Amino acid sequence: MKDSKEQKPDAPSGIATIPPYMKAVSGSLGGIMEACCLQPIDVIKTRLQLDTTGNYKGIVHCGSTIVRTEGVRALWKGLTPFAMHLTLKYALRMGSNAVLQAAFKDSETGKLSNHGRVLAGFGAGVLEALVIVTPFEVSISHFHLKFHVRNFKFDELLVVIAAIWTCWNKMPIELGFCEVAD
């Protein structure tokens, strides 16, 4: 009886390779789970960073103050944009790493050298940092600072998309890659 799974020539016998899109989807699901677990820590971190009046005495005090004054659900404020951020980040990282590994394989043997593996991982990390991480982190910090004071519901997806779009458009100018006409 023949196995119905299609085998790639570089895969060990009996093991099917995982396509890049499936690695991207898996990375996205992992990003959602990570966001759910890390959101309370991120909320506390952001509140501590933006605390200019010294309301919080430390991490535990900040977390307990948030829970006491705003409720437990306040620790998950902003979960949607944070989950979107991590979902896109891991999808891009896993997907681009799979594509880059395929590009760095030896054309004769079909095997990936350690050098190629390192270059693929480095390329995926740089791509992730430039396209997703930096614009998102800058946008989230600016919007927390701007809207937290006004009790703005930060969990709106359109606000986050607008922030990322603004950041992507302004970053080349602020980094000096483009000049603004007077």
Side-chain angles (χ1 to χ4, degrees):
M1 192 173 215
K2 196 172 184 177
D3 189 15
S4 62
K5 290 184 180 179
E6 186 178 312
Q7 299 293 319
K8 301 254 177 163
D10 59 332
S13 134
I15 299 175
T17 58
I18 301 169
Y21 76 87
M22 187 54 78
K23 290 181 181 181
V25 169
S26 299
S28 295
L29 295 174
I32 292 169
M33 290 306 299
E34 181 180 342
C36 292
C37 295
L38 292 181
Q39 184 61 21
I41 296 167
D42 195 60
V43 167
I44 292 169
K45 173 201 71 146
T46 304
R47 296 279 181 96
L48 286 169
Q49 287 175 330
L50 299 176
D51 181 28
T52 58
T53 59
N55 291 331
Y56 305 118
K57 295 177 175 70
I59 296 170
V60 174
H61 181 255
C62 179
S64 61
T65 302
I66 292 169
V67 169
R68 189 177 359 68
T69 59
E70 301 173 47
V72 174
R73 290 181 57 190
L75 292 173
W76 281 271
K77 278 186 179 178
L79 179 61
T80 302
F82 191 56
M84 185 176 102
H85 165 232
L86 292 178
T87 299
L88 294 173
K89 174 177 137 175
Y90 289 125
L92 181 63
R93 180 192 299 170
M94 301 300 225
S96 62
N97 188 40
V99 169
L100 290 172
Q101 281 187 2
F104 288 128
K105 282 185 180 176
D106 187 311
S107 59
E108 294 174 11
T109 64
K111 297 198 183 255
L112 182 64
S113 68
N114 287 337
H115 230 141
R117 195 175 307 280
V118 168
L119 286 173
F122 179 75
V126 168
L127 186 62
E128 166 195 334
L130 292 175
V131 174
I132 303 290
V133 176
T134 301
F136 226 96
E137 291 296 326
V138 169
S139 300
I140 286 175
S141 293
H142 282 275
F143 275 84
H144 265 293
L145 182 61
K146 204 180 257 188
F147 296 121
H148 175 68
V149 177
R150 287 195 242 154
N151 201 18
F152 183 81
K153 186 177 179 191
F154 186 71
D155 215 2
E156 294 185 23
L157 192 57
L158 292 176
V159 172
V160 176
I161 292 170
I164 294 168
W165 182 255
T166 302
C167 188
W168 279 337
N169 285 329
K170 287 184 178 181
M171 202 176 346
I173 295 167
E174 290 181 11
L175 293 175
F177 294 124
C178 306
E179 290 189 26
V180 180
D182 292 328

